[in-house]
Every structure is written in C-alpha cells, then in structure tokens.
Short mmCIF file of all heavy atoms in Angstrom, two decimals:
data_model
loop_
_atom_site.label_atom_id
_atom_site.label_comp_id
_atom_site.label_asym_id
_atom_site.label_seq_id
_atom_site.Cartn_x
_atom_site.Cartn_y
_atom_site.Cartn_z
N HIS R 1093 -5.49 -17.43 4.91
CA HIS R 1093 -5.65 -18.14 6.23
C HIS R 1093 -4.24 -18.75 6.73
O HIS R 1093 -4.07 -18.62 7.91
CB HIS R 1093 -6.65 -19.36 6.03
CG HIS R 1093 -8.09 -18.98 6.07
ND1 HIS R 1093 -8.71 -18.48 7.23
CD2 HIS R 1093 -9.02 -18.93 5.09
CE1 HIS R 1093 -9.96 -18.19 6.92
NE2 HIS R 1093 -10.11 -18.50 5.69
N GLN R 1094 -3.39 -19.17 5.83
CA GLN R 1094 -2.23 -19.77 6.28
C GLN R 1094 -1.14 -18.70 6.64
O GLN R 1094 -0.23 -19.07 7.39
CB GLN R 1094 -1.58 -20.66 5.18
CG GLN R 1094 -2.48 -21.83 4.91
CD GLN R 1094 -1.91 -22.74 3.84
OE1 GLN R 1094 -1.10 -22.26 2.98
NE2 GLN R 1094 -2.31 -24.09 3.75
N ALA R 1095 -1.26 -17.52 6.15
CA ALA R 1095 -0.16 -16.54 6.35
C ALA R 1095 -0.22 -16.00 7.76
O ALA R 1095 -1.25 -15.93 8.40
CB ALA R 1095 -0.45 -15.29 5.41
N SER R 1096 0.97 -15.75 8.31
CA SER R 1096 1.15 -15.09 9.57
C SER R 1096 0.87 -13.60 9.60
O SER R 1096 0.45 -12.94 10.55
CB SER R 1096 2.61 -15.38 10.13
OG SER R 1096 2.85 -16.67 10.28
N ALA R 1097 1.05 -12.95 8.30
CA ALA R 1097 0.77 -11.51 8.14
C ALA R 1097 0.48 -11.36 6.70
O ALA R 1097 1.01 -12.06 5.83
CB ALA R 1097 1.88 -10.63 8.61
N ILE R 1098 -0.35 -10.30 6.39
CA ILE R 1098 -0.68 -9.99 5.07
C ILE R 1098 -0.31 -8.52 4.86
O ILE R 1098 -0.82 -7.60 5.62
CB ILE R 1098 -2.21 -10.15 4.76
CG1 ILE R 1098 -2.57 -11.65 5.01
CG2 ILE R 1098 -2.57 -9.85 3.31
CD1 ILE R 1098 -4.07 -11.93 5.07
N ILE R 1099 0.43 -8.24 3.91
CA ILE R 1099 0.86 -6.82 3.48
C ILE R 1099 0.01 -6.35 2.35
O ILE R 1099 -0.03 -7.04 1.30
CB ILE R 1099 2.32 -6.74 3.22
CG1 ILE R 1099 3.21 -6.98 4.44
CG2 ILE R 1099 2.73 -5.36 2.60
CD1 ILE R 1099 4.63 -7.15 4.19
N ALA R 1100 -0.62 -5.15 2.43
CA ALA R 1100 -1.29 -4.54 1.32
C ALA R 1100 -0.62 -3.28 0.93
O ALA R 1100 -0.48 -2.40 1.76
CB ALA R 1100 -2.70 -4.29 1.71
N ALA R 1101 -0.22 -3.19 -0.27
CA ALA R 1101 0.59 -1.97 -0.79
C ALA R 1101 -0.40 -0.92 -1.23
O ALA R 1101 -0.36 -0.44 -2.37
CB ALA R 1101 1.52 -2.30 -1.90
N TRP R 1102 -1.33 -0.52 -0.37
CA TRP R 1102 -2.20 0.62 -0.61
C TRP R 1102 -2.41 1.40 0.68
O TRP R 1102 -2.12 0.72 1.79
CB TRP R 1102 -3.53 0.19 -1.24
CG TRP R 1102 -4.34 -0.79 -0.51
CD1 TRP R 1102 -5.06 -0.66 0.60
CD2 TRP R 1102 -4.54 -2.15 -0.81
NE1 TRP R 1102 -5.75 -1.80 1.00
CE2 TRP R 1102 -5.47 -2.76 0.12
CE3 TRP R 1102 -4.11 -3.08 -1.88
CZ2 TRP R 1102 -5.85 -4.12 0.09
CZ3 TRP R 1102 -4.53 -4.35 -1.92
CH2 TRP R 1102 -5.40 -4.90 -0.98
N PRO R 1103 -2.99 2.55 0.69
CA PRO R 1103 -3.06 3.31 1.94
C PRO R 1103 -4.02 2.75 2.96
O PRO R 1103 -4.98 1.96 2.66
CB PRO R 1103 -3.57 4.70 1.39
CG PRO R 1103 -3.33 4.69 -0.02
CD PRO R 1103 -3.43 3.29 -0.50
N ASP R 1104 -3.87 3.17 4.25
CA ASP R 1104 -4.66 2.52 5.25
C ASP R 1104 -6.08 3.15 5.27
O ASP R 1104 -6.90 2.70 6.05
CB ASP R 1104 -3.94 2.73 6.65
CG ASP R 1104 -3.67 4.27 6.96
OD1 ASP R 1104 -4.18 5.19 6.32
OD2 ASP R 1104 -2.87 4.48 7.89
N TRP R 1105 -6.38 4.17 4.52
CA TRP R 1105 -7.72 4.69 4.40
C TRP R 1105 -8.71 3.95 3.50
O TRP R 1105 -9.83 4.16 3.48
CB TRP R 1105 -7.77 6.21 4.14
CG TRP R 1105 -7.00 6.59 2.99
CD1 TRP R 1105 -5.67 7.16 2.89
CD2 TRP R 1105 -7.29 6.50 1.56
NE1 TRP R 1105 -5.24 7.32 1.62
CE2 TRP R 1105 -6.27 7.01 0.80
CE3 TRP R 1105 -8.48 6.11 0.90
CZ2 TRP R 1105 -6.22 7.06 -0.64
CZ3 TRP R 1105 -8.49 6.10 -0.50
CH2 TRP R 1105 -7.43 6.61 -1.26
N VAL R 1106 -8.07 3.10 2.59
CA VAL R 1106 -8.84 2.37 1.65
C VAL R 1106 -9.73 1.36 2.41
O VAL R 1106 -9.25 0.63 3.25
CB VAL R 1106 -7.95 1.65 0.64
CG1 VAL R 1106 -8.77 0.66 -0.21
CG2 VAL R 1106 -7.13 2.60 -0.18
N PRO R 1107 -11.00 1.33 2.25
CA PRO R 1107 -11.91 0.30 2.91
C PRO R 1107 -11.37 -1.06 2.77
O PRO R 1107 -10.93 -1.43 1.60
CB PRO R 1107 -13.24 0.57 2.29
CG PRO R 1107 -13.24 1.88 1.70
CD PRO R 1107 -11.82 2.16 1.21
N VAL R 1108 -11.35 -1.88 3.75
CA VAL R 1108 -10.91 -3.22 3.66
C VAL R 1108 -11.79 -4.01 2.67
O VAL R 1108 -12.98 -4.05 2.87
CB VAL R 1108 -10.90 -3.91 5.02
CG1 VAL R 1108 -10.52 -5.37 4.90
CG2 VAL R 1108 -9.99 -3.18 6.01
N PRO R 1109 -11.23 -4.58 1.61
CA PRO R 1109 -12.07 -5.40 0.69
C PRO R 1109 -12.76 -6.51 1.39
O PRO R 1109 -12.27 -7.05 2.41
CB PRO R 1109 -11.03 -5.92 -0.33
CG PRO R 1109 -9.84 -5.01 -0.16
CD PRO R 1109 -9.80 -4.54 1.27
N THR R 1110 -13.91 -6.88 0.87
CA THR R 1110 -14.73 -7.83 1.50
C THR R 1110 -14.01 -9.15 1.74
O THR R 1110 -14.18 -9.92 2.69
CB THR R 1110 -16.01 -8.11 0.80
OG1 THR R 1110 -15.77 -8.42 -0.54
CG2 THR R 1110 -16.87 -6.84 0.88
N HIS R 1111 -13.10 -9.48 0.75
CA HIS R 1111 -12.41 -10.80 0.78
C HIS R 1111 -11.35 -10.77 1.82
O HIS R 1111 -10.72 -11.85 2.14
CB HIS R 1111 -11.82 -11.20 -0.60
CG HIS R 1111 -10.81 -10.30 -1.06
ND1 HIS R 1111 -11.01 -9.07 -1.75
CD2 HIS R 1111 -9.46 -10.43 -0.97
CE1 HIS R 1111 -9.91 -8.49 -2.01
NE2 HIS R 1111 -8.90 -9.28 -1.57
N LEU R 1112 -10.97 -9.69 2.36
CA LEU R 1112 -9.96 -9.62 3.43
C LEU R 1112 -10.48 -9.30 4.83
O LEU R 1112 -9.71 -9.28 5.83
CB LEU R 1112 -8.91 -8.48 3.04
CG LEU R 1112 -7.98 -8.82 1.90
CD1 LEU R 1112 -7.21 -7.64 1.47
CD2 LEU R 1112 -7.06 -9.98 2.20
N ILE R 1113 -11.80 -9.13 4.92
CA ILE R 1113 -12.35 -8.80 6.25
C ILE R 1113 -12.11 -9.88 7.23
O ILE R 1113 -11.91 -9.66 8.38
CB ILE R 1113 -13.93 -8.56 6.10
CG1 ILE R 1113 -14.16 -7.22 5.34
CG2 ILE R 1113 -14.61 -8.50 7.46
CD1 ILE R 1113 -15.59 -6.86 5.01
N ALA R 1114 -12.20 -11.14 6.80
CA ALA R 1114 -11.95 -12.23 7.75
C ALA R 1114 -10.50 -12.25 8.28
O ALA R 1114 -10.15 -13.04 9.25
CB ALA R 1114 -12.28 -13.62 7.10
N HIS R 1115 -9.57 -11.58 7.56
CA HIS R 1115 -8.23 -11.57 7.90
C HIS R 1115 -7.69 -10.27 8.43
O HIS R 1115 -6.44 -10.08 8.47
CB HIS R 1115 -7.39 -12.04 6.65
CG HIS R 1115 -7.96 -13.14 5.89
ND1 HIS R 1115 -7.94 -14.44 6.45
CD2 HIS R 1115 -8.68 -13.23 4.75
CE1 HIS R 1115 -8.59 -15.26 5.52
NE2 HIS R 1115 -9.07 -14.52 4.51
N VAL R 1116 -8.61 -9.36 8.77
CA VAL R 1116 -8.18 -7.99 9.04
C VAL R 1116 -7.27 -7.89 10.25
O VAL R 1116 -6.44 -6.97 10.31
CB VAL R 1116 -9.45 -7.06 9.31
CG1 VAL R 1116 -10.17 -7.49 10.56
CG2 VAL R 1116 -9.18 -5.60 9.23
N ASN R 1117 -7.27 -8.85 11.16
CA ASN R 1117 -6.43 -8.78 12.29
C ASN R 1117 -4.92 -8.99 11.95
O ASN R 1117 -4.08 -8.67 12.79
CB ASN R 1117 -6.80 -9.86 13.37
CG ASN R 1117 -6.68 -11.23 12.83
OD1 ASN R 1117 -7.00 -11.60 11.66
ND2 ASN R 1117 -6.19 -12.22 13.62
N LYS R 1118 -4.66 -9.54 10.73
CA LYS R 1118 -3.20 -9.63 10.35
C LYS R 1118 -2.92 -8.90 9.04
O LYS R 1118 -1.95 -9.14 8.45
CB LYS R 1118 -2.85 -11.14 10.23
CG LYS R 1118 -3.72 -11.89 9.39
CD LYS R 1118 -3.32 -13.37 9.35
CE LYS R 1118 -4.30 -14.32 8.59
NZ LYS R 1118 -3.89 -15.68 8.69
N LEU R 1119 -3.84 -7.93 8.76
CA LEU R 1119 -3.66 -7.15 7.47
C LEU R 1119 -3.02 -5.86 7.82
O LEU R 1119 -3.33 -5.17 8.68
CB LEU R 1119 -5.06 -6.87 6.88
CG LEU R 1119 -5.12 -5.97 5.66
CD1 LEU R 1119 -4.37 -6.67 4.43
CD2 LEU R 1119 -6.50 -5.58 5.22
N HIS R 1120 -1.96 -5.50 7.07
CA HIS R 1120 -1.18 -4.27 7.26
C HIS R 1120 -1.13 -3.50 5.96
O HIS R 1120 -0.44 -3.86 4.99
CB HIS R 1120 0.27 -4.67 7.63
CG HIS R 1120 0.40 -5.48 8.83
ND1 HIS R 1120 0.53 -5.02 10.17
CD2 HIS R 1120 0.23 -6.89 9.01
CE1 HIS R 1120 0.53 -6.00 11.04
NE2 HIS R 1120 0.38 -7.15 10.42
N MET R 1121 -1.88 -2.43 5.91
CA MET R 1121 -2.03 -1.57 4.72
C MET R 1121 -0.94 -0.52 4.86
O MET R 1121 -1.01 0.44 5.61
CB MET R 1121 -3.37 -0.95 4.62
CG MET R 1121 -4.48 -2.02 4.38
SD MET R 1121 -6.14 -1.38 4.08
CE MET R 1121 -6.63 -0.83 5.74
N VAL R 1122 0.20 -0.73 4.13
CA VAL R 1122 1.44 0.09 4.38
C VAL R 1122 1.58 1.27 3.47
O VAL R 1122 2.48 2.07 3.61
CB VAL R 1122 2.64 -0.83 4.25
CG1 VAL R 1122 2.61 -1.99 5.29
CG2 VAL R 1122 2.87 -1.38 2.86
N GLY R 1123 0.81 1.38 2.40
CA GLY R 1123 0.85 2.44 1.40
C GLY R 1123 1.56 1.87 0.18
O GLY R 1123 2.07 0.79 0.10
N GLY R 1124 1.55 2.67 -0.89
CA GLY R 1124 2.12 2.28 -2.20
C GLY R 1124 3.60 2.12 -2.07
O GLY R 1124 4.27 3.05 -1.64
N ILE R 1125 4.17 0.96 -2.56
CA ILE R 1125 5.61 0.74 -2.39
C ILE R 1125 6.26 0.97 -3.70
O ILE R 1125 6.06 0.36 -4.72
CB ILE R 1125 5.84 -0.71 -1.96
CG1 ILE R 1125 5.19 -1.03 -0.64
CG2 ILE R 1125 7.35 -1.02 -1.94
CD1 ILE R 1125 5.25 -2.47 -0.14
N SER R 1126 7.17 2.00 -3.70
CA SER R 1126 8.02 2.35 -4.86
C SER R 1126 9.40 1.71 -4.63
O SER R 1126 9.90 1.68 -3.50
CB SER R 1126 8.08 3.84 -5.05
OG SER R 1126 9.05 4.18 -6.06
N ARG R 1127 10.09 1.44 -5.70
CA ARG R 1127 11.45 0.95 -5.61
C ARG R 1127 12.45 2.11 -5.46
O ARG R 1127 13.71 1.94 -5.27
CB ARG R 1127 11.90 0.12 -6.78
CG ARG R 1127 11.83 0.86 -8.16
CD ARG R 1127 12.07 -0.13 -9.25
NE ARG R 1127 11.76 0.36 -10.54
CZ ARG R 1127 12.66 0.55 -11.58
NH1 ARG R 1127 13.89 0.13 -11.41
NH2 ARG R 1127 12.24 1.03 -12.73
N PHE R 1128 11.90 3.33 -5.50
CA PHE R 1128 12.73 4.57 -5.54
C PHE R 1128 12.56 5.31 -4.18
O PHE R 1128 11.47 5.24 -3.60
CB PHE R 1128 12.54 5.50 -6.68
CG PHE R 1128 12.71 4.76 -8.00
CD1 PHE R 1128 11.65 4.43 -8.81
CD2 PHE R 1128 14.06 4.56 -8.47
CE1 PHE R 1128 11.87 3.79 -10.01
CE2 PHE R 1128 14.19 3.98 -9.68
CZ PHE R 1128 13.16 3.64 -10.49
N GLU R 1129 13.59 6.04 -3.77
CA GLU R 1129 13.46 6.89 -2.60
C GLU R 1129 12.80 8.21 -3.03
O GLU R 1129 12.94 8.63 -4.21
CB GLU R 1129 14.84 7.22 -2.00
CG GLU R 1129 15.55 5.95 -1.39
CD GLU R 1129 14.79 5.31 -0.31
OE1 GLU R 1129 14.12 6.08 0.53
OE2 GLU R 1129 14.74 4.06 -0.20
N PRO R 1130 12.04 8.83 -2.12
CA PRO R 1130 11.41 10.18 -2.50
C PRO R 1130 12.48 11.18 -2.90
O PRO R 1130 13.51 11.21 -2.25
CB PRO R 1130 10.80 10.56 -1.18
CG PRO R 1130 10.51 9.31 -0.43
CD PRO R 1130 11.73 8.36 -0.74
N PRO R 1131 12.27 11.87 -4.00
CA PRO R 1131 13.25 12.86 -4.41
C PRO R 1131 13.42 13.98 -3.42
O PRO R 1131 12.49 14.35 -2.73
CB PRO R 1131 12.66 13.34 -5.74
CG PRO R 1131 11.27 13.06 -5.70
CD PRO R 1131 11.09 11.82 -4.85
N THR R 1132 14.62 14.53 -3.38
CA THR R 1132 14.87 15.68 -2.34
C THR R 1132 14.71 17.01 -3.01
O THR R 1132 14.73 17.97 -2.28
CB THR R 1132 16.32 15.46 -1.91
OG1 THR R 1132 17.24 15.53 -3.04
CG2 THR R 1132 16.49 14.22 -1.12
N LYS R 1133 14.51 17.11 -4.32
CA LYS R 1133 14.33 18.41 -4.93
C LYS R 1133 13.26 18.27 -6.12
O LYS R 1133 13.09 17.21 -6.65
CB LYS R 1133 15.60 19.00 -5.45
CG LYS R 1133 16.35 18.11 -6.37
CD LYS R 1133 17.65 18.88 -6.86
CE LYS R 1133 18.43 18.01 -7.92
NZ LYS R 1133 19.69 18.63 -8.19
N SER R 1134 12.61 19.36 -6.41
CA SER R 1134 11.61 19.40 -7.50
C SER R 1134 12.27 19.98 -8.73
O SER R 1134 13.35 20.58 -8.76
CB SER R 1134 10.44 20.15 -7.07
OG SER R 1134 10.80 21.51 -6.72
N CYS R 1135 11.49 19.88 -9.82
CA CYS R 1135 11.93 20.43 -11.16
C CYS R 1135 10.85 21.19 -11.79
O CYS R 1135 9.66 21.13 -11.39
CB CYS R 1135 12.39 19.20 -12.13
SG CYS R 1135 13.66 18.16 -11.51
N GLN R 1136 11.26 22.00 -12.72
CA GLN R 1136 10.32 22.69 -13.55
C GLN R 1136 9.49 21.67 -14.44
O GLN R 1136 10.26 20.84 -15.12
CB GLN R 1136 10.90 23.78 -14.39
CG GLN R 1136 9.97 24.64 -15.14
CD GLN R 1136 9.16 25.60 -14.30
OE1 GLN R 1136 9.62 26.04 -13.25
NE2 GLN R 1136 7.93 25.85 -14.69
N ARG R 1137 8.19 21.65 -14.42
CA ARG R 1137 7.57 20.68 -15.10
C ARG R 1137 7.05 21.19 -16.51
O ARG R 1137 6.48 22.19 -16.64
CB ARG R 1137 6.30 20.18 -14.30
CG ARG R 1137 6.64 19.42 -13.05
CD ARG R 1137 5.39 18.82 -12.35
NE ARG R 1137 5.69 18.07 -11.17
CZ ARG R 1137 5.97 16.78 -11.16
NH1 ARG R 1137 6.02 16.11 -12.32
NH2 ARG R 1137 6.28 16.15 -10.02
N SER R 1138 7.22 20.28 -17.55
CA SER R 1138 6.71 20.57 -18.81
C SER R 1138 6.65 19.28 -19.64
O SER R 1138 7.39 18.31 -19.41
CB SER R 1138 7.51 21.60 -19.59
OG SER R 1138 8.85 21.06 -19.83
N GLY R 1139 5.76 19.16 -20.57
CA GLY R 1139 5.60 17.96 -21.43
C GLY R 1139 4.81 16.82 -20.84
O GLY R 1139 4.49 16.85 -19.59
N VAL R 1140 4.48 15.91 -21.63
CA VAL R 1140 3.61 14.76 -21.30
C VAL R 1140 4.51 13.51 -21.41
O VAL R 1140 5.23 13.23 -22.38
CB VAL R 1140 2.49 14.71 -22.22
CG1 VAL R 1140 1.54 13.45 -21.85
CG2 VAL R 1140 1.60 15.99 -22.14
#
C-alpha cells in the first residue's frame, strides 16, 4: 500500500497473485532478473 511502484521479477503472463490484485495498478511484472547479460554465442552441451 505504501509503495509508489511494485516490481515483480517474473513474466507478465503469470496470473496476478490474489494478494497483489488490490495493487495491480502499480505492479510491473518485468521478467526474471539475472545479474548476467545474455550470452552472445552458444556451446556444445554435455554433462549435468
């Protein structure tokens, strides 16, 4: 209630949780936040 904006680190297609419905006008679902930049090249995958 006190916040000017609420950031949610999940995708915008996730249904708004019931506890956030009252605050949906200031809710911003921005996607998962990683501390790394997306890689520019791929690798051959093996191992667990």
Side-chain angles (χ1 to χ4, degrees):
H1093 278 294
Q1094 292 179 342
S1096 296
I1098 303 168
I1099 293 170
W1102 58 72
D1104 58 13
W1105 49 261
V1106 173
V1108 176
T1110 55
H1111 66 277
L1112 288 171
I1113 289 176
H1115 315 286
V1116 70
N1117 62 318
K1118 54 184 175 183
L1119 177 64
H1120 303 266
M1121 297 185 286
V1122 300
I1125 300 174
S1126 173
R1127 63 186 166 122
F1128 302 105
E1129 296 298 321
T1132 57
K1133 58 182 179 180
S1134 59
C1135 301
Q1136 185 69 31
R1137 292 187 178 273
S1138 64
V1140 178

